[in-house]
Amino acid sequence: MRTHFPRIYFVFSRYIRFVSVIAFVVLFQVSLGDVWADEKSETIPSLAETIKLASKVNSARNSGSKVLSPEEVIFQVTKYYYQIQTKMEQLETAEEVRGHFQKAVDKSEEILDEGEGEISQSDVTKLKLGLSDTLNNIIGLKHDMQIAKLHLGQLMGKELGSDSDMAETDVMPVVFSYNSFDDYLKAQSSSTSSDNSVGKVRAASSKNPRHFPVILSGDNRLILHEQFISVKEAQAKVKLGKKNRKISRALLVSEAANYDFGIGDSQGLFEALIIYTRVLSGYLGSIYTFNVAVAELEKLNTVMFK
């Protein structure tokens, strides 16, 4: 027994050291992974701060790199910023709908197995297809959001990960109070010459007005007027979408409650979920289209009135 004890102790001690080394390596890799994750998970600042950062990065690029004009930097950052915001909100909606579909599928299968309700296999299949379509939508939204973050990160000189959060997450239409193209042109004539605001259409101001008329060539006036019309069209769709969002939300709440209490049918819930998804996604998309259209108008305005 004495002759074998040293050997057993030696083998055991080597085993303990080996396990300790493996544990250290694993912990080190996890810690390193967390560091990498932190680098790629940096919070995207406000739109104004993001534009400032991207403008600084763009101006620091050498002649061998692709250097954008200042107004193009503002437009590109604004576009991708709004796109990420919109996709995040649409993803949240899709996750909500996925939960409703999953709950309906589980309950329908339970009723079908018990044979005590009017649920058919066809009803269950429709709900499963709705769930599958929602999951497919979630995959697409995550992909689109990741691509937008890659582009925005390149403009910022940073690598944004798929889990990078935003300082401003609310999807809101920008302020645009011009009723006619002539009103818009007058506002540009009276706007301050030192106005360097970003991400917002310049409003008329009584402080330090430029006091010179807007002079546009025929072609430039046409281009600017066309974009103004696009902005007003998008703004009208936002207003309509806002009303439809409230209606579709009320419909979904009603159908979901009825189904939970056993007084509704799966077909009604299925249709309500589909309508809610389409309407709310369309509403968020209309805000994105409107905001980008305003940003495009501002870019054209900046270039033409330099």
Side-chain angles (χ1 to χ4, degrees), residues 276-297:
Y276 177 71
T277 301
R278 184 177 70 248
V279 170
L280 190 54
S281 180
Y283 170 64
L284 294 170
S286 69
I287 295 178
Y288 168 75
T289 300
F290 168 65
N291 287 350
V292 173
V294 172
E296 177 72 24
L297 179 65

Side-chain angles (χ1 to χ4, degrees), residues 4 95 175 179 238 288 293:
H4 293 288
E95 292 286 2
V175 177
N179 295 319
V238 169
Y288 168 75

Side-chain angles (χ1 to χ4, degrees), residues 1 39 67 76 78 101 118 133 138 140 166 179 189 197-198 202 214 228 254 261 293 299:
M1 187 71 178
E39 289 180 351
V67 180
Q76 291 293 331
T78 302
F101 266 123
E118 298 181 356
D133 187 60
I138 289 173
M166 303 188 78
N179 295 319
S189 297
S197 59
V198 294
R202 289 178 293 177
V214 172
F228 179 86
S254 175
F261 285 116
K299 183 181 77 170

Side-chain angles (χ1 to χ4, degrees), residues 86-106:
T86 303
K87 297 300 179 183
M88 287 179 67
E89 192 73 18
Q90 288 175 332
L91 180 60
E92 185 176 332
T93 300
E95 292 286 2
E96 178 192 0
V97 171
R98 181 199 63 78
H100 284 296
F101 266 123
Q102 187 64 64
K103 185 177 180 180
V105 168
D106 294 340

Side-chain angles (χ1 to χ4, degrees), residues 35-277:
V35 172
W36 288 339
D38 289 340
E39 289 180 351
K40 295 184 180 182
S41 302
E42 183 175 349
T43 299
I44 303 171
S46 66
L47 176 57
E49 289 298 321
T50 303
I51 289 175
K52 289 179 182 179
L53 177 59
S55 299
K56 184 177 180 180
V57 170
N58 182 70
S59 61
R61 288 195 174 111
N62 55 43
S63 57
S65 304
K66 185 178 180 181
V67 180
L68 303 175
S69 64
E71 54 273 6
E72 185 64 27
V73 172
I74 294 174
F75 175 72
Q76 291 293 331
V77 170
T78 302
K79 180 181 70 172
Y80 289 120
Y81 198 95
Y82 287 146
Q83 186 175 352
I84 295 170
Q85 279 185 331
T86 303
K87 297 300 179 183
M88 287 179 67
E89 192 73 18
Q90 288 175 332
L91 180 60
E92 185 176 332
T93 300
E95 292 286 2
E96 178 192 0
V97 171
R98 181 199 63 78
H100 284 296
F101 266 123
Q102 187 64 64
K103 185 177 180 180
V105 168
D106 294 340
K107 184 173 183 178
S108 297
E109 288 183 330
E110 181 181 348
I111 295 174
L112 184 63
D113 292 340
E114 293 175 353
E116 298 180 356
E118 298 181 356
I119 297 295
S120 66
Q121 185 60 54
S122 176
D123 294 328
V124 176
T125 301
K126 288 180 181 179
L127 290 172
K128 286 184 176 180
L129 288 174
L131 174 60
S132 178
D133 187 60
T134 302
L135 293 173
N136 184 70
N137 188 30
I138 289 173
I139 293 172
L141 288 170
K142 288 182 177 179
H143 169 269
D144 293 343
M145 189 162 50
Q146 191 171 4
I147 294 298
K149 286 181 179 181
L150 285 177
H151 285 283
L152 183 61
Q154 185 181 42
L155 291 165
M156 297 170 62
K158 297 179 179 291
E159 186 176 356
L160 299 176
S162 59
D163 55 347
S164 296
D165 204 355
M166 303 188 78
E168 297 175 352
T169 57
D170 293 337
V171 180
M172 300 289 292
V174 298
V175 177
F176 191 83
S177 57
Y178 305 106
N179 295 319
S180 68
F181 185 57
D182 288 337
D183 289 340
Y184 175 76
L185 290 181
K186 290 177 182 178
Q188 308 317 302
S189 297
S190 59
S191 63
T192 61
S193 59
S194 60
D195 185 8
N196 58 355
S197 59
V198 294
K200 298 179 180 179
V201 171
R202 289 178 293 177
S205 172
S206 59
K207 297 180 180 179
N208 301 320
R210 292 185 296 183
H211 293 305
F212 59 83
V214 172
I215 301 176
L216 290 172
S217 67
D219 289 342
N220 285 346
R221 184 183 178 87
L222 176 62
I223 293 172
L224 203 63
H225 199 171
E226 273 186 333
Q227 187 59 32
F228 179 86
I229 293 173
S230 296
V231 169
K232 297 302 291 184
E233 176 192 7
Q235 189 177 42
K237 290 181 178 179
V238 169
K239 292 179 180 179
L240 179 61
K242 187 176 181 179
K243 295 179 181 178
N244 291 337
R245 179 194 62 172
K246 293 180 179 179
I247 297 172
S248 63
R249 179 67 183 175
L251 175 64
L252 174 59
V253 170
S254 175
E255 289 293 340
N258 290 341
Y259 193 75
D260 288 341
F261 285 116
I263 58 176
D265 56 46
S266 61
Q267 181 64 26
L269 179 59
F270 174 83
E271 291 176 353
L273 286 169
I274 295 299
I275 292 172
Y276 177 71
T277 301

